[in-house]
Amino acid sequence: MPSSSLRSLLQARADVRVQDRIALSAAVTEGVQLRTGDFAAWLAERGRVNEFRVDRIPFAELDGWSFDQRSGNLAHRSGRFFTVEGLHVTEEDGPYGDGPYADWYQPIIKQSEVGILGILVKEFDGVPHFLMQAKMEPGNPNLLQLSPTVQATRSNYTKAHKGADVKYIEYFVGPRRGRVIADVLQSEHGSWFYRKSNRNMIVEATGDVPLLDDFCWLTLGQISELLPRDNVVNMDSRTVLSCLPHPDTGAGALLSDIELFSWITGERARHDVRAERVPLVSVPRWKHGENAIEHEDGRYFRVVAVSVRAGNREVTGWTQPLFEPVGQGVTAFLTREFEGVPHVLVHARVEGGFLDTIELGPTVQYTPDNYAHLDARDRPRFLDTVLRARGDRIRYEAVHSEEGGRFLNAESRYLIVDADEADAPQDPPPGYTWVTPAQLTSLVRHGHYVNVQGRTLLACLNAMTVTAR
């Protein structure tokens, strides 16, 4: 048996080989099955051959879902899937005095089970291709988007809904059928989920893989060309793609890796956050109506119910609650070069549903309508910088929707914006720091360091690097 040092060396060499093969796939913009120019027609055709319909309904028409008489929590009679409960969050002012005492209540989704988001990879003509799916989600504005090979909760793939098998699930659970490239637990939206994680997986298949309806093989270069298009590549694909290994070009970072981990640890230590689940019926300032649970000021989001028809899903018809944001979000990285090395400005974000107090998020991650009534001094840092950015400073811009299985019409305008010292100083305010994209890629190989919005922007950053070659 080889020594531990030899095993480490062999693993390092294997990682380099994977990175080289990923780079090769990124450089190829035409796949063996589908030309990039034909993708839009293929996606539209998959929409035509399947029946898709989503209708808003009153809560009373939910099938299998009901409000508990005592707590008011909204749950499924099976005890599976998820519940809508209340959350009470308090945060004490940090030692830097950089934020007021915070205390708020809100509805939250409690979903304990860990889902699988998995992309299958296979080599064709020496080039790795990714097996992607045209998947309908009821909350997507355009219903059909490009999802991972597998996008399933545990209730789905264990068939708690008594529906059909999840296609290709056998490559991600049970006996291994290929080589694991990435496998990490990542958080979902900490503002709307309570401590929710999904298993983000990339597995390279060995042997033949049948190509089923609604699936296509694409190179990473093709996917990179699709990422700048509005509402095409769904959130689950973006988070999995962010976990891909890329060549480490992180030399010249303002913070060393040790300094960065120390900074993250310090941010987690200095925030005193308490998040307590409470009965939904006891959440103040949220009105419960026949068709929605919403804040009395009309801001933030509302809880609604829908009826769904989807001919190509494991279950072809169902009803469910969804969270619907009020207004479109703005999510952005400010970026600068220091000594010729690109950096992005990350924010140590506190969200009530996070497992470990903070995760690194984008520079800006807000819904402007929620802050429009505030004076300029009370608006979130850097939000106006992004909103006022000139066109020649915007390096990336696209509208992406969030997780369509739980959120209705949840869209954000994702941007990567060049900044200068006046916009974003090299010595940023407390709670912010500069990191290289390579450092973010390294952090994403571990769970609960980079939030889901940050992972989307990281996937977009990597795509920009590919398409610029």
Side-chain angles (χ1 to χ4, degrees):
M1 177 177 294
S3 67
S4 59
S5 59
L6 178 56
R7 287 198 301 271
S8 298
L9 178 61
L10 293 173
Q11 182 61 51
R13 289 178 176 173
D15 290 343
V16 169
R17 289 196 297 271
V18 170
Q19 292 172 2
D20 289 343
R21 295 175 63 240
I22 294 300
L24 173 62
S25 182
V28 176
T29 56
E30 294 298 345
V32 297
Q33 178 207 346
L34 187 66
R35 291 177 55 84
T36 311
D38 296 332
F39 173 82
W42 176 84
L43 189 65
E45 188 267 340
R46 298 322 303 163
R48 286 192 297 270
V49 300
N50 293 294
E51 176 194 3
F52 299 130
R53 179 167 178 167
V54 178
D55 296 304
R56 294 172 184 263
I57 59 174
F59 291 125
E61 293 183 14
L62 284 169
D63 182 15
W65 295 84
S66 61
F67 291 98
D68 182 80
Q69 291 185 350
R70 295 182 61 186
S71 68
N73 293 347
L74 182 55
H76 195 266
R77 65 186 169 211
S78 66
R80 304 291 293 274
F81 306 110
F82 62 94
T83 57
V84 179
E85 306 178 5
L87 190 71
H88 180 205
V89 183
T90 59
E91 180 188 2
E92 301 285 352
D93 190 14
Y96 301 120
D98 59 318
Y101 175 84
D103 187 327
W104 77 90
Y105 289 83
Q106 66 169 87
I108 198 83
I109 297 172
K110 177 68 170 66
Q111 184 173 338
S112 300
E113 61 185 32
V114 174
I116 290 179
L117 308 177
I119 295 179
L120 197 62
V121 179
K122 183 171 174 56
E123 196 171 282
F124 295 96
D125 295 338
V127 178
H129 286 60
F130 296 70
L131 186 60
M132 309 299 290
Q133 177 183 182
K135 188 177 182 69
M136 179 272 193
E137 291 289 353
N140 289 341
N142 54 347
L143 295 184
L144 199 66
Q145 295 187 18
L146 196 64
S147 85
T149 318
V150 166
Q151 178 184 319
T153 66
R154 183 173 179 81
S155 291
N156 288 147
Y157 67 79
T158 59
K159 299 202 287 187
H161 48 43
K162 304 188 188 308
D165 291 333
V166 173
K167 296 169 183 175
Y168 299 107
I169 187 65
E170 66 272 15
Y171 290 94
F172 301 93
V173 297
R176 295 295 187 196
R177 294 203 176 187
R179 177 186 182 187
V180 176
I181 295 175
D183 190 354
V184 60
L185 287 179
Q186 297 287 10
S187 63
E188 288 214 30
H189 298 74
S191 295
W192 296 329
F193 279 110
Y194 182 76
R195 299 184 177 181
K196 172 74 171 72
S197 296
N198 274 326
R199 192 175 177 185
N200 288 221
M201 301 181 69
I202 302 171
V203 175
E204 185 170 15
T206 58
D208 293 334
V209 177
L211 182 63
L212 305 178
D213 289 342
D214 301 316
F215 292 82
C216 66
W217 292 103
L218 299 173
T219 68
L220 185 55
Q222 290 180 288
I223 298 171
S224 296
E225 292 196 346
L226 297 176
L227 270 169
R229 303 184 188 183
D230 292 350
N231 286 323
V232 171
V233 181
N234 82 352
M235 185 217 79
D236 299 293
S237 293
R238 301 190 305 263
T239 181
V240 177
L241 291 169
S242 75
C243 300
L244 279 169
H246 287 271
D248 184 1
T249 56
L254 286 178
L255 295 181
S256 69
D257 290 347
I258 292 176
E259 289 170 330
L260 176 58
F261 276 108
S262 179
W263 183 86
I264 294 170
T265 303
E267 287 296 310
R268 286 177 170 169
R270 78 180 180 89
H271 288 282
D272 184 6
V273 180
R274 297 181 179 89
E276 177 187 9
R277 291 158 55 204
V278 298
L280 184 61
V281 73
S282 71
V283 174
R285 304 193 66 190
W286 288 80
K287 303 181 297 182
H288 293 237
E290 293 182 358
N291 299 303
I293 301 170
E294 53 193 335
H295 195 270
E296 61 186 24
D297 291 337
R299 300 191 187 101
Y300 312 120
F301 63 92
R302 59 179 72 93
V303 184
V304 299
V306 296
S307 173
V308 185
R309 295 292 302 175
N312 65 345
R313 292 289 296 264
E314 295 84 17
V315 172
T316 57
W318 71 92
T319 64
Q320 69 168 97
L322 290 172
F323 277 28
E324 182 181 30
V326 177
Q328 187 183 82
V330 172
T331 304
F333 271 145
L334 293 180
T335 180
R336 291 182 62 185
E337 287 192 0
F338 300 103
E339 302 282 333
V341 178
H343 286 69
V344 295
L345 186 62
V346 296
H347 181 203
R349 283 188 59 86
V350 173
E351 296 181 9
F354 280 158
L355 181 66
D356 200 357
T357 311
I358 67 102
E359 294 189 16
L360 300 189
T363 320
V364 167
Q365 181 189 315
Y366 303 104
T367 300
D369 290 352
N370 292 337
Y371 302 91
H373 63 292
L374 299 176
D375 293 335
R377 66 178 181 274
D378 295 323
R379 288 165 62 82
R381 283 190 175 116
F382 303 111
L383 174 59
D384 290 330
T385 300
V386 169
L387 294 178
R388 293 194 302 260
R390 301 193 314 263
D392 61 347
R393 288 198 170 190
I394 298 174
R395 297 175 54 202
Y396 175 91
E397 181 177 11
V399 174
H400 291 304
S401 55
E402 306 303 330
E403 210 283 306
R406 297 293 179 264
F407 311 133
L408 179 64
N409 298 325
E411 292 180 300
S412 288
R413 182 180 169 219
Y414 279 86
L415 301 113
I416 297 172
V417 179
D418 285 333
D420 56 24
E421 181 69 17
D423 297 324
Q426 182 172 341
D427 184 14
Y432 296 82
T433 197
W434 293 100
V435 303
T436 66
Q439 287 177 311
L440 277 185
T441 296
S442 178
L443 286 173
V444 168
R445 303 287 282 178
H446 308 277
H448 304 287
Y449 277 102
V450 182
N451 77 353
V452 67
Q453 290 88 347
R455 297 195 302 273
T456 278
L457 281 173
L458 177 60
C460 297
L461 269 171
N462 289 332
M464 287 170 51
T465 302
V466 167
T467 54
R469 287 172 184 161

